[in-house]
């Protein structure tokens, strides 16, 4: 039996303006390195992280509800 060793890509929604809090948690606490979003997508807000085993995209979503 083979277990999951990584996730290629995860997209999560976050409230607009939460980029600094996201950076604190995902980069500072979990240690995921931030990567630059493509300029056309950076205008929408959000933040991306990438490690050897996961790529995590946090997209800013108006009307976000957890």
């Amino acid at each position: 039996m083979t277990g999951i060793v990584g996730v290629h890509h995860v997209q999560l929604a976050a409230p607009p303006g939460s980029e600094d809090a996201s950076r604190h948690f995902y980069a500072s606490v979990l240690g995921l390195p931030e990567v630059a979003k493509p300029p056309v997508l950076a205008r929408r807000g959000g933040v991306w992280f990438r490690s050897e085993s996961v790529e995590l995209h946090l997209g800013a979503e108006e009307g976000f509800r957890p």
Side-chain angles (χ1 to χ4, degrees):
M1 178 179 216
T2 303
I4 296 173
V5 295
V7 176
H8 180 268
H9 179 149
V10 175
Q11 173 74 36
L12 299 175
S18 65
E19 291 82 3
D20 286 342
S22 296
R23 285 182 182 100
H24 172 72
F25 180 72
Y26 289 99
S28 298
V29 175
L30 296 183
L32 291 173
E34 182 177 352
V35 294
K37 291 179 69 170
V40 69
L41 297 177
R43 293 184 292 225
R44 298 180 187 177
V47 62
W48 290 5
F49 303 93
R50 182 182 301 138
S51 72
E52 291 181 18
S53 60
V54 67
E55 184 158 333
L56 174 67
H57 294 180
L58 290 165
E61 184 177 304
E62 290 295 331
F64 170 80
R65 294 185 321 187

